[in-house]
Amino acid sequence: VLIWSFIWAFIFALFFAYYVSRQSMKPILRAWQQQQDFVNNAAHELRTPMSVIQGKLETMLTKPTATIREESEAVILSLSEVRRLNSLTNNMLTLAKSGSNMTKIEKEKTDIKAFMDKVLSPYVEMGSLSDKKVSLDVDVNQEVGIDRKRIHQLLVLLMDNALKYSDDGDAIRVSAKIEKRRLVIAVADTGRGISASAKKHIFDRFYREDKTGNRKTGGTGLGLSIAEWIVRAHNGKIVVMDNKPKGTIFKVILPL
Ligand code: ADP
């Protein structure tokens, strides 16, 4: 009986040790998998513009009879792909640094009204020159501690998306107010909106709702991941909701 008790205790201990090690390995395995996915997706995203540029350059080399018009078209296309590569690598670097805590958030007391006027005035001006109406409504009369560089980057990401995913005649309204000791910034557009299934994934790295459409709009699928990181680093949160009757609202909530 004693020997059997020992054997059973040993088997139980083995299973227990296996279970505990599996559980404690889970976060490490998940992080490793995320890293693998990031590298795979990054390589895939970089490969496409590089093949386009390579193809265009090879054609220019092997087809010396190309007209000036054909050549300039190839240069324009290559240039737009180079710009895409540039923005992809910049976004990847930002995300890589965010993951390794290399980028510190440096908060400074900021006059939110003056700050937002400055960051968003190019968009308001651009709106008045185009068929998209951009308006700003800031009702914050106190200073708030924010990392200006990062919140600037966040507003640009949200504004660029609002413009990219809306059409002529649509409106984009940015508002800011203090609510329950929190700074609430909302970017609301009347654009194409986001489906319920896509809403679950839009903050994932490299996720794009419509891959083919987004190549035209020049998206990388990294913007909202960066936006989410910036907000989290401020201990805040970012939520997405439908605008009525159509469009999307991104709400950023930052504790004071
Ligand atoms: P991208 O570079 O493709 O814009 P993001 O991470 O910024 O990548 O956004 C992820 C996806 O979320 C976009 O591809 C788009 O499908 C969707 N999205 C983001 N903002 C909006 C918006 N204002 N209106 C509609 N769809 C949006």
Side-chain angles (χ1 to χ4, degrees):
V1 170
L2 198 66
I3 290 174
W4 273 111
S5 312
F6 268 121
I7 291 173
W8 279 116
F10 183 67
I11 292 172
F12 177 76
L14 268 184
F15 271 109
F16 185 71
Y18 173 71
Y19 176 77
V20 169
S21 63
R22 255 195 84 110
Q23 287 306 102
S24 58
M25 285 295 280
K26 260 187 187 165
I28 300 170
L29 287 175
R30 202 179 310 127
W32 186 77
Q33 188 58 46
Q34 277 174 354
Q35 199 66 23
Q36 284 292 100
D37 290 348
F38 184 71
V39 173
N40 275 342
N41 285 329
H44 182 81
E45 290 295 325
L46 293 173
R47 204 169 53 184
T48 319
M50 281 195 298
S51 325
V52 174
I53 297 165
Q54 187 181 349
K56 288 288 159 200
L57 290 177
E58 278 170 2
T59 323
M60 278 165 82
L61 257 186
T62 53
K63 200 179 157 199
T65 53
T67 62
I68 295 203
R69 190 198 165 108
E70 282 171 331
E71 277 186 356
S72 55
E73 271 171 11
V75 171
I76 290 169
L77 193 82
S78 304
L79 196 61
S80 96
E81 293 298 319
V82 169
R83 288 204 184 102
R84 193 177 151 72
L85 277 176
N86 213 350
S87 107
L88 256 172
T89 39
N90 282 339
N91 284 347
M92 281 182 209
L93 271 177
T94 308
L95 276 175
K97 283 187 196 156
S98 75
S100 60
N101 281 342
M102 274 160 73
T103 318
K104 292 263 173 299
I105 288 293
E106 283 163 17
K107 288 190 188 174
E108 288 168 279
K109 286 259 166 238
T110 304
D111 173 345
I112 295 294
K113 185 154 172 46
F115 171 76
M116 288 190 59
D117 275 346
K118 193 168 157 214
V119 173
L120 294 159
S121 63
Y123 290 98
V124 177
E125 266 167 44
M126 194 178 69
S128 66
L129 298 174
S130 75
D131 281 329
K132 291 180 191 173
K133 192 175 175 312
V134 181
S135 61
L136 182 60
D137 172 20
V138 181
D139 182 19
V140 182
N141 300 316
Q142 68 183 86
E143 291 196 323
V144 177
I146 54 167
D147 184 321
R148 287 183 206 154
K149 201 171 138 213
R150 294 297 169 194
I151 298 293
H152 184 148
Q153 191 180 9
L154 166 79
L155 290 170
V156 166
L157 286 167
L158 295 179
M159 283 307 288
D160 284 350
N161 276 354
L163 288 167
K164 264 192 304 194
Y165 303 114
S166 59
D167 296 308
D168 286 349
D170 280 329
I172 295 146
R173 184 169 178 272
V174 186
S175 63
K177 60 185 168 186
I178 301 287
E179 230 176 52
K180 296 186 195 148
R181 293 203 42 78
R182 296 178 309 179
L183 171 65
V184 181
I185 301 174
V187 177
D189 66 61
T190 58
R192 73 177 197 195
I194 306 178
S195 68
S197 57
K199 276 204 201 87
K200 294 188 199 124
H201 303 288
I202 50 169
F203 294 102
D204 295 349
R205 293 170 178 190
F206 295 108
Y207 177 82
R208 284 174 281 167
E209 190 170 10
D210 162 18
K211 303 224 175 211
T212 44
N214 281 52
R215 266 202 84 67
K216 269 185 254 145
T217 51
T220 63
L222 291 176
L224 287 179
S225 315
I226 295 176
E228 191 184 38
W229 163 68
I230 294 172
V231 175
R232 282 219 186 131
H234 279 80
N235 295 320
K237 63 177 183 175
I238 179 165
V239 286
V240 57
M241 54 188 95
D242 290 332
N243 200 3
K244 297 276 167 351
K246 72 180 188 79
T248 311
I249 305 177
F250 281 93
K251 216 178 219 190
V252 173
I253 302 158
L254 303 176
L256 291 191

